[in-house]
Amino acid sequence: MSGEYLAFLGLALVAIAGGVMMLNLTKVVHMVVALVFTFVSIAGLYVLLSAEFVAAVQVLIYSGAITIIMLFGIMLTRHQDEEETTTGGFWRKALTALAVFAFGIAVYIGIYRLDFGEQATHLHEKNTEQIGVALYSKYIIPFEITSVILLVALVGAIVLAKKEDEEAQK
């Protein structure tokens, strides 16, 4: 067993455990922390695949920004601190474990039968440069359209927030 294989197993187990914990925890802040573990371990898997740029974006965008937005959303909204009593706790956990096991078998069978054909040899060299060249030459129109859509969404969110402020002051 190589170190890369052991690193993959460790990161994959952390990603799966974080996802399962996020589904089974009851407090929202704990769910977000479990999600952070999943995001960071997925970034580690990207590093193992020689996609350092994608790993850095994963850490910056998902582990950082999205998690902070979720925490702000939790803090700024009203929610009850009382824990809900769930019925069928044992059966829920048993069905969740069975579903995770079935999903793992399906993924294993899918990967076992997967055939990529000839392996690319120069894919990991200068991958950030390759992404930049493709993004700003071949995909420049979708990139710019995405930026305009995000700008419209930002302006719309500001307008909606301002309307709610004006209604609250009346």
Side-chain angles (χ1 to χ4, degrees):
M1 284 204 297
S2 68
E4 186 176 81
Y5 181 71
L6 290 175
F8 170 77
L9 283 179
L11 289 169
L13 286 174
V14 170
I16 292 170
V20 169
M21 284 174 51
M22 192 193 87
L23 293 174
N24 285 322
L25 292 172
T26 56
K27 294 189 177 185
V28 182
V29 176
H30 294 164
M31 290 178 182
V32 172
V33 171
L35 193 61
V36 168
F37 279 112
T38 303
F39 286 155
V40 171
S41 61
I42 289 173
L45 290 173
Y46 286 142
V47 170
L48 288 177
L49 292 171
S50 297
E52 293 85 10
F53 177 75
V54 179
V57 169
Q58 173 79 17
V59 169
L60 289 174
I61 302 299
Y62 287 105
S63 300
I66 299 297
T67 305
I68 296 300
I69 288 172
M70 288 175 157
L71 288 174
F72 277 141
I74 292 167
M75 290 187 305
L76 294 175
T77 57
R78 294 181 186 167
H79 58 280
Q80 297 177 357
D81 291 333
E82 300 171 7
E83 291 186 24
E84 296 180 13
T85 57
T86 57
T87 59
F90 170 75
W91 290 109
R92 179 179 174 202
K93 289 180 183 179
L95 286 174
T96 302
L98 182 66
V100 168
F101 184 70
F103 178 72
I105 289 174
V107 169
Y108 176 76
I109 290 170
I111 291 174
Y112 184 72
R113 294 182 182 172
L114 187 63
D115 182 27
F116 284 118
E118 189 175 318
Q119 192 174 21
T121 56
H122 299 291
L123 188 60
H124 65 279
E125 295 176 5
K126 299 182 181 179
N127 62 0
T128 307
E129 182 180 341
Q130 291 176 4
I131 290 170
V133 167
L135 187 63
Y136 290 115
S137 61
K138 187 176 180 183
Y139 299 108
I140 188 68
I141 301 296
F143 180 76
E144 291 300 326
I145 290 173
T146 303
S147 66
V148 170
I149 289 173
L150 288 172
L151 179 64
V152 168
L154 178 66
V155 170
I158 291 171
V159 167
L160 287 175
K162 191 168 184 158
K163 277 185 183 177
E164 288 177 4
D165 263 358
E166 289 173 359
E167 289 175 3
Q169 289 176 359
K170 288 181 181 179

